Amino acid sequence: MTAVLAEGLKKHYGETKALDGLDLEVPQGEIFGLLGPNGAGKTTAVKVMTTLASPTAGRAVIDGIDVTKNPKAVRTRIGLTGQYAAVEERLTGRENLELVGRYFHHKKSELKSRATELLHMFDLMEAADRPANTYSGGMRRRLDIAMSLVARPAILFLDEPTTGLDPRSRLGMWEFIARLGDEGTTVLLTTQYLEEADVLAKKIAVIDHGLKIAEGSADQLKDQIGGDKVRVTIVKPENIQRAKQAIVPFATGAVDQDPESAQTLTAPIHAGGGVVPNIIRGLDDAGVDVLDVEVRRPTLDDVFLVLTGRAAEERGQEEL
Amino acid sequence: MTATAAPSELDHKHHPDDIAGSTGLIGIITDSLTESGRHLRIIPRNIELLIFATIQPVMFVLLFSFVFGGSIQTPPGFTDYDQYLMPGIFAQTVVFGSAFTSIGIAEDMSKGFIDRLRSLPIAQSSVLIGRTLSDVVRNAITFVTMLLVAFLLGFRFEGSLLGALGATALLLFFSYGLSWVQALIGLSVSSVEAANSAGFIWMFPITFVSSAFIDTSNLQYAWLRTVADWNPFTQVTNAARALYNGNDPGDAVMTSILWAVGMIVLFAFLATRKFNQISD
């Protein structure tokens, strides 16, 4: 069953086309990654799908309900954690959670027990009765996500949940998000961190300029740009031609010399089936001393570079 | 029929059509009270804000009373300048107090809380209703403090207690109307700093080109006198002043109520529309 469906979704702000015909299909019970650099349209997509903004054209259907036809029914089925930790600073963690329960008209006993349950789940029990403004960045984000889960939403939208967190808190946050996925919560996660989508999401849509430019599992996306690469470093630069000839039979494409090193060659290969040992053996037979052999699966950075001709991170910088 | 529902369907069975209760008037009231509760709960926890919000009116009372008290001639019909001045300061304070609305809303916007609220199945109007209501309560708290200081300086209700209560209610009602103007400002600006400025700046001409501190007939330009006399703030100040002093307020009470109602109707409409289009 489809939890989130977007068809030709457009959102224009004057001349700016934040979304320009986005198609998405998120199956129920999966973590789905929406990956793109700053300004790609990720947040706009989330805003339209969570009823905060109305689409200029196209449609978005959440848990079977069209966002423009019945926004209120959509709001009963979603949880939204935006880019900023939207917690009430001077209320305690527990009070923040109970507050959300009150917005949902939960009974007093129910909102209290749900708050405690979520505090446990997000490892906030110790800080439960401290005001949120004493929380660390990571704790605040956890509370923020917990607040989005009070009413057990069918779909949780996480808009860049780890932006601004230090590396350690980011890893911690990944564990919590992965656990939600294990428990069967449908999560639509936006991120500009390629690693994050790789680790968390079962399926990833890469978007740029408000359009989907690629979709698939992390592995599928990587295969799309030519799979694995082997990187061979030899001891003596004068043997480079001989080394090249030894590698050619195993490569699926051109064998290139690393522009920064006279001792290093890179080549696309299909890893597995003994290809790497064969390469080493071949080099040995050719009398080339090998310093290092490294097999590298491409990162999503590479994917973005191939798809758009630009590095994702660089582009993010430009738009800041 | 053999019911073999997929596990994922079962998971979402207790899923929430039953909690979408925020419909109709009851929903608006309940959700507004929840929102008001959120703001009121944090007032005692924000000690700094509470202190400064109290100091400012007390300072105005003391400054105007001591500095101008000796040099401004008491207008006819009043026992001393304090009896004339205090209602003006009360009026000025509640009007300035309405600026909390724009600042509060801008804060909620900047920290993403408004987005969170808009994604909940609550009556959307309750966000602004709750905010403006809690700001009236906050204003009332400030008012009580100010009254105490005024009493210490010798200010008295010269008329009936009912008249004084009526004057107080009128001032708070007027500031409630202004809160809706401030709500629109808070939703329209892009930062808390801008709200701080945009919420306050127009308060100065409104409160000074009025009868709050002086008799408008003493103003030196005829056009300025006209502006001051037409200023709704003059109307509400005159009404409150008459009621506190046991004088006949004439049309001023009705005029200020009409102004307040007008502001509420117009700006509640504009602010609510703006609220619904924040991301558009």
Side-chain angles (χ1 to χ4, degrees):
Chain A
M1 192 182 157
T2 305
V4 178
L5 179 74
E7 283 177 345
L9 207 56
K10 289 188 184 182
K11 179 66 187 174
H12 297 178
Y13 293 103
E15 291 292 297
T16 314
K17 294 172 178 171
L19 290 180
D20 205 18
L22 182 69
D23 297 311
L24 284 182
E25 202 174 334
V26 180
Q28 206 171 63
E30 275 184 21
I31 299 185
F32 186 93
L34 198 56
L35 174 70
N38 272 338
K42 303 186 296 292
T43 297
T44 307
V46 169
K47 284 195 163 165
V48 171
M49 291 186 282
T50 55
T51 76
L52 300 189
S54 51
T56 309
R59 65 185 197 126
V61 181
I62 308 298
D63 207 22
I65 304 162
D66 191 305
V67 291
T68 49
K69 286 184 188 137
N70 196 349
K72 198 148 176 181
V74 169
R75 291 180 196 131
T76 64
R77 287 159 168 81
I78 58 168
L80 168 65
T81 299
Q83 277 192 34
Y84 310 97
V87 303
E88 182 58 80
E89 303 273 325
R90 287 175 199 277
L91 294 182
T92 68
R94 190 190 299 280
E95 287 170 336
N96 266 295
L97 291 166
E98 291 177 2
L99 176 71
V100 178
R102 229 170 277 135
Y103 288 128
F104 278 94
H105 301 185
H106 290 172
K107 284 194 216 77
K108 197 163 187 185
S109 59
E110 190 187 345
L111 58 90
K112 284 199 181 303
S113 63
R114 182 63 176 156
T116 307
E117 198 180 329
L118 287 164
L119 287 165
H120 274 297
M121 191 167 148
F122 284 89
D123 203 12
L124 289 167
M125 228 20 216
E126 266 176 57
D129 298 307
R130 269 174 26 208
N133 59 7
T134 65
Y135 284 19
S136 70
M139 290 162 77
R140 215 176 274 221
R141 286 294 172 98
R142 262 141 59 198
L143 176 59
D144 196 12
I145 296 182
M147 285 169 76
S148 308
L149 291 172
V150 167
R152 299 184 169 82
I155 299 120
L156 176 64
F157 290 87
L158 295 178
D159 194 9
E160 303 202 5
T162 66
T163 297
L165 291 185
D166 62 74
R168 210 180 57 127
S169 310
R170 176 170 300 159
L171 287 177
M173 193 57 100
W174 286 358
E175 278 178 38
F176 285 104
I177 296 170
R179 207 180 299 162
L180 291 177
D182 294 342
E183 286 167 6
T185 310
T186 308
V187 180
L188 192 148
L189 163 95
T190 80
T191 181
Q192 46 177 320
Y193 300 116
L194 309 162
E195 199 190 348
E196 187 162 289
D198 197 348
V199 170
L200 294 173
K202 196 163 173 186
K203 204 171 175 194
I204 298 165
V206 185
I207 71 167
D208 189 32
H209 298 307
L211 269 173
K212 183 169 71 185
I213 53 173
E215 188 172 17
S217 67
D219 283 340
Q220 284 169 341
L221 290 176
K222 289 168 182 176
D223 285 344
Q224 200 174 325
I225 66 150
D228 311 310
K229 276 204 163 65
V230 69
R231 189 179 155 87
V232 175
T233 306
I234 59 172
V235 177
K236 295 178 185 148
E238 61 265 33
N239 289 340
I240 201 85
Q241 281 311 318
R242 259 197 288 161
K244 203 172 191 171
Q245 280 157 17
I247 296 171
V248 165
F250 305 103
T252 55
V255 181
D256 294 319
Q257 188 173 334
D258 190 309
E260 280 163 27
S261 162
Q263 295 151 267
T264 305
L265 294 165
T266 58
I269 55 163
H270 282 308
V275 170
V276 177
N278 286 341
I279 290 176
I280 297 173
R281 214 168 293 133
L283 287 164
D284 197 36
D285 291 345
V288 179
D289 291 332
V290 178
L291 197 63
D292 183 46
V293 176
E294 184 192 350
V295 179
R296 202 166 77 93
R297 299 225 73 190
T299 66
L300 287 168
D301 274 312
D302 301 328
V303 175
F304 204 85
L305 191 63
V306 169
L307 291 172
T308 66
R310 305 178 307 269
E313 306 293 349
E314 271 172 34
R315 191 158 170 276
Q317 291 294 324
E318 275 168 31
E319 295 201 352
L320 279 177
Chain B
M1 199 169 124
T2 45
T4 48
S8 59
E9 277 173 49
L10 281 175
D11 284 349
H12 296 290
K13 262 275 141 52
H14 57 275
H15 210 280
D17 274 322
D18 48 312
I19 55 169
S22 301
T23 45
L25 196 59
I26 302 284
I28 294 178
I29 293 170
T30 317
D31 294 340
S32 299
L33 291 178
T34 303
E35 256 300 88
S36 271
R38 168 167 79 96
H39 304 307
L40 292 176
R41 241 168 142 177
I42 63 175
I43 291 179
R45 299 190 195 183
N46 197 344
I47 301 295
E48 290 166 20
L49 189 66
L50 195 62
I51 289 173
F52 287 110
T54 313
I55 286 180
Q56 191 194 308
V58 170
M59 189 185 70
F60 274 132
V61 169
L62 295 175
L63 275 179
F64 279 96
S65 174
F66 285 108
V67 177
F68 294 146
S71 54
I72 296 182
Q73 210 187 351
T74 305
F78 296 91
T79 46
D80 59 25
Y81 183 60
D82 272 355
Q83 285 300 122
Y84 181 83
L85 172 74
M86 291 304 172
I89 295 177
F90 299 162
Q92 187 201 31
T93 303
V94 293
V95 165
F96 271 70
S98 73
F100 278 112
T101 307
S102 58
I103 296 168
I105 288 176
E107 262 172 14
D108 270 352
M109 295 248 288
S110 71
K111 69 184 180 191
F113 214 95
I114 294 282
D115 276 353
R116 155 149 276 145
L117 293 170
R118 293 184 66 219
S119 76
L120 297 175
I122 56 173
Q124 298 283 294
S125 57
S126 66
V127 177
L128 297 177
I129 296 174
R131 167 67 69 177
T132 50
L133 283 179
S134 65
D135 283 338
V136 167
V137 176
R138 186 204 294 268
N139 243 333
I141 297 170
T142 313
F143 206 102
V144 171
T145 323
M146 204 168 43
L147 266 181
L148 289 175
V149 177
F151 265 87
L152 285 176
L153 291 177
F155 173 76
R156 294 291 177 266
F157 296 153
E158 303 276 351
S160 65
L161 184 63
L162 199 67
L165 286 176
T168 308
L170 185 66
L171 289 175
L172 290 173
F173 184 58
F174 190 79
S175 95
Y176 183 71
L178 280 171
S179 269
W180 281 101
V181 182
Q182 298 283 15
L184 182 64
I185 292 174
L187 291 167
S188 306
V189 295
S190 57
S191 70
V192 180
E193 290 76 15
N196 217 329
S197 198
F200 271 115
I201 202 111
W202 51 283
M203 300 275 161
F204 290 95
I206 282 191
T207 54
F208 282 93
V209 185
S210 80
S211 65
F213 309 110
I214 48 142
D215 186 344
T216 54
S217 59
N218 290 340
L219 286 166
Q220 53 180 329
Y221 304 108
W223 63 267
L224 201 60
R225 275 199 294 279
T226 312
V227 172
D229 287 335
W230 274 92
N231 185 350
F233 182 72
T234 295
Q235 298 297 322
V236 73
T237 305
N238 289 348
R241 181 175 281 145
L243 291 171
Y244 281 125
N245 282 294
N247 302 338
D248 175 18
D251 295 337
V253 172
M254 197 35 91
T255 315
S256 13
I257 289 176
L258 287 177
W259 269 106
V261 170
M263 282 192 291
I264 294 170
V265 171
L266 177 63
F267 285 92
F269 169 74
L270 293 174
T272 308
R273 200 178 59 169
K274 182 84 189 167
F275 183 84
N276 290 328
Q277 297 170 348
I278 286 173
S279 297
D280 281 334

